[in-house]
Amino acid sequence: MTADAPIYVNPDKLFGRHLAVLGNTGSGKSCSVAGLIRWSIESVKKNIEDGKNPNYRFLILDPNGEYGECFDDLSCSIHKYKVTLDNGESSGEQLKVPSWMWNSFEWSAVTKASDRSQRPLLRKALKEIRYGVAEENEDIELLQFIQSFYVQLLNFKKNVVALAEFRGRMNYGEALECASRNIQTFTNNRSTDICKAALCIHTAVNNLLTTKPRDRNGYFPTFNVVDVNSLISVIEQNKAILLDSFQLEKGPDSDTPIFFDNMMFASHLQTIAQDNPNASFMDYFLMRMKSLLSDVRVKSVIDGKKEDTLEQWLESYVGADDDNGSINIVDLSLIPSDILNVIVAVFARLVFEAHQRYRRKYQNVMPTTLVVEEAHNFIKNYLDSSEDISSSQLCAQIFEKIAKEGRKFGLGLLLSSQRPSELSQTVLSQCNTFLLHRLVNDRDQEMVKRLVPDSLGGVLGELPILPTRTAILLGWAASIPTLVEMSELTKEKRPKSNDPHFWDVWTGKEDLPIKWAEVCQDWQRNYNVGVETEDEQTKKDESSLTEDDVDLPF
Ligand SMILES: Nc1ncnc2c1ncn2[C@@H]1O[C@H](COP(=O)(O)OP(=O)(O)OP(=O)(O)O)[C@@H](O)[C@H]1O
Ligand SMILES: [Mg+2]
């Protein structure tokens, strides 16, 4: 009706409550997604406050590697991550989702651990390896000691008569000396809050000991209830720090992201399995685990180094302070299919938890947009019946969580999919805005119509005949459903997903040499190409008999 009126959308509304871009193949979804990101960033540049730097974050999960170049002309930090096994290709860093960041569910899903025997063992192994390699925390030990000293004092108080007797007063005196020494050792010139509080106890204990020193034979004089009470009250004065901090006692559990080495983990699991009476059930499981951990492509993504920290990971993949706004493109196209879903699930979970924790720490939300292309691959409808956790279910569940709770933490989803009827209904129903391109399939149309009020159903009659680039915008960000034509993107600004030019290629208008050599080299993993160090060669030999290699076209 309004012909060529430009249409503007409030980005808070568009990205704040999840946006779904739906439509058939070739209907223009990827271009619209790329456009929405680009136009947002261009407006940021126009509207930026004087002296301030832009501060946006777009994380793109790109299963087909389409988005690689389409933002290159925007002068902002663009980080590209992918599986860089094919040497020579240089654009993009190696994608890393190290396995030490996975939680026990993610490990179970990827190793297909069965519910009864394998999963508990896996969890035990994870907990032990994380606990074993975690740095020793002197504060935790100090707390544990003081808490047990406190309990000891309470017992002395109950049995105060004994403090006058030979045994009792010796015990009490020795307990005091031991406490004094231990606190001294644990505090060790440090000055944390816990140490400061502990030093008060140290002083009180020493004062008491100077008033009641051992006699010539090494025996303590009689103690009484006042002596005990004085110490108990010093501890209770610092109750909040010393007694209420029980959570510190736990240390890392099976889900805490603490670095460990994959191969060490596999060996540890094997040791635990051998001690287990049901070890025979573990053979296949261990084999699966080993073949997974030694696959070259899998390794390139999940192997971590000790010096890589969680902080660095978040800075690279979510955003760093000096980025001044960033687009992070994660190209998932060469990730082996057996870990693809888990990688995406871990990635999404880490991003989500980071936002959750950010808000808890700073009482402030960090707005970030998580773009999921071809979302039906990761956010599938699933039946919630089977006992075993499958990777694809795990993946769908984390996105359901983000769809339900992400808004509060500033994490907005931008989904693009060809098959709304295959998408998880929970996720789709949490999307508040829809950009609908051409949709021909009946079931998909039905699906979409169910998401909008009946009175608006009529507008959607046009869905099957919408031309490319045209779409219907409806929901939270559009006060009335609006037929929009997306602004034109020039070729280099579009994702790499052009329609193929059959005719021009057939008739020679477009030159297209047929060259397979390099394709095959990459495919067969360059085993015989280039010079390798001995180390690399042995690594490859060790891993050359994995399940995955059975599929290689040798
Ligand atoms: N805004 C636009 N500007 C310019 N061309 C566009 C635009 N939108 C779509 N097109 C054209 O339509 C073609 C297909 O668009 P696009 O790749 O976005 O489709 P899609 O819906 O993502 O398809 P698929 O589901 O297969 O990924 C593009 O190659 C481009 O030629
Ligand atoms: Mg697309």
Side-chain angles (χ1 to χ4, degrees), residues 109 340-346 348 377-380 382 389-401 427:
L340 177 61
N341 274 305
V342 164
I343 292 294
V344 174
V346 178
N377 290 330
F378 309 115
I379 317 184
K380 282 201 186 83
Y382 58 88
I389 319 168
S390 75
S391 320
S392 77
Q393 182 175 340
L394 193 78
C395 195
Q397 278 168 341
I398 179 66
F399 281 104
E400 288 183 352
K401 199 169 162 91
V427 171

Side-chain angles (χ1 to χ4, degrees), residues 314-330:
L314 291 173
E315 283 184 342
S316 316
Y317 290 88
V318 183
D321 217 15
D322 51 9
D323 271 346
N324 300 330
S326 61
I327 306 181
N328 295 333
I329 304 168
V330 180

Side-chain angles (χ1 to χ4, degrees), residues 23-31 33 62 64 66-67 373-374 416-418 495-497:
N24 280 95
T25 177
S27 59
K29 297 181 301 297
S30 304
C31 290
V33 170
D62 177 12
N64 297 324
E66 296 171 78
Y67 287 82
E373 256 288 338
E374 313 276 353
S416 150
S417 171
Q418 313 172 348
K496 267 191 289 182
S497 66

Side-chain angles (χ1 to χ4, degrees), residues 278-520:
N278 298 329
S280 55
F281 292 112
M282 297 298 288
D283 286 354
Y284 288 116
F285 173 68
L286 286 170
M287 226 159 73
R288 267 203 308 276
M289 182 100 170
K290 281 204 169 149
S291 85
L292 178 86
L293 294 180
S294 56
D295 180 289
V296 190
R297 283 178 308 162
V298 174
K299 259 166 86 149
S300 70
V301 180
I302 73 173
D303 259 3
K305 287 203 216 84
K306 199 171 167 79
E307 37 312 345
D308 298 340
T309 61
L310 184 60
E311 182 185 340
Q312 280 169 353
W313 192 90
L314 291 173
E315 283 184 342
S316 316
Y317 290 88
V318 183
D321 217 15
D322 51 9
D323 271 346
N324 300 330
S326 61
I327 306 181
N328 295 333
I329 304 168
V330 180
D331 178 344
L332 304 167
S333 56
L334 275 183
I335 299 187
S337 54
D338 30 357
I339 58 161
L340 177 61
N341 274 305
V342 164
I343 292 294
V344 174
V346 178
F347 188 92
R349 178 180 60 82
L350 288 172
V351 170
F352 176 65
E353 284 189 10
H355 281 76
Q356 241 179 348
R357 284 168 190 272
Y358 185 92
R359 190 184 82 161
R360 203 164 66 189
K361 200 87 203 157
Y362 304 112
Q363 272 78 47
N364 213 344
V365 297
M366 176 165 67
T368 304
T369 310
L370 180 59
V371 182
V372 190
E373 256 288 338
E374 313 276 353
H376 47 270
N377 290 330
F378 309 115
I379 317 184
K380 282 201 186 83
N381 242 337
Y382 58 88
L383 291 174
D384 200 3
S385 59
S386 72
E387 272 190 359
D388 292 336
I389 319 168
S390 75
S391 320
S392 77
Q393 182 175 340
L394 193 78
C395 195
Q397 278 168 341
I398 179 66
F399 281 104
E400 288 183 352
K401 199 169 162 91
I402 296 178
K404 284 188 279 195
E405 298 165 27
R407 183 187 65 82
K408 298 195 259 317
F409 306 106
L411 188 58
L413 282 176
L414 199 174
L415 309 175
S416 150
S417 171
Q418 313 172 348
R419 294 305 310 266
S421 55
E422 284 178 16
L423 275 180
S424 151
Q425 298 310 298
T426 315
V427 171
L428 212 49
S429 65
Q430 295 303 319
C431 290
N432 281 261
T433 308
F434 295 89
L435 185 66
L436 303 174
H437 284 272
R438 183 173 59 248
L439 264 179
V440 179
N441 183 292
D442 277 352
R443 273 188 58 199
D444 291 333
Q445 286 185 45
E446 279 306 312
M447 183 65 248
V448 172
K449 281 182 187 158
R450 254 185 278 151
L451 295 167
V452 298
D454 281 347
S455 56
L456 296 180
V459 193
L460 301 181
E462 301 214 18
L463 275 181
I465 51 161
L466 286 176
T468 304
R469 254 176 78 192
T470 314
I472 299 173
L473 179 70
L474 53 85
W476 176 248
S479 35
I480 47 169
T482 317
L483 187 66
V484 295
E485 186 182 40
M486 306 303 287
S487 306
E488 168 111 34
L489 291 171
T490 54
K491 195 161 181 220
E492 64 286 355
K493 296 180 182 169
R494 292 179 213 153
K496 267 191 289 182
S497 66
N498 278 339
D499 293 333
H501 302 153
F502 279 83
W503 187 248
D504 287 355
V505 172
W506 285 358
T507 54
K509 236 182 246 164
E510 221 174 87
D511 263 342
L512 189 92
I514 299 182
K515 291 190 288 193
W516 292 119
E518 289 176 20
V519 176
C520 295

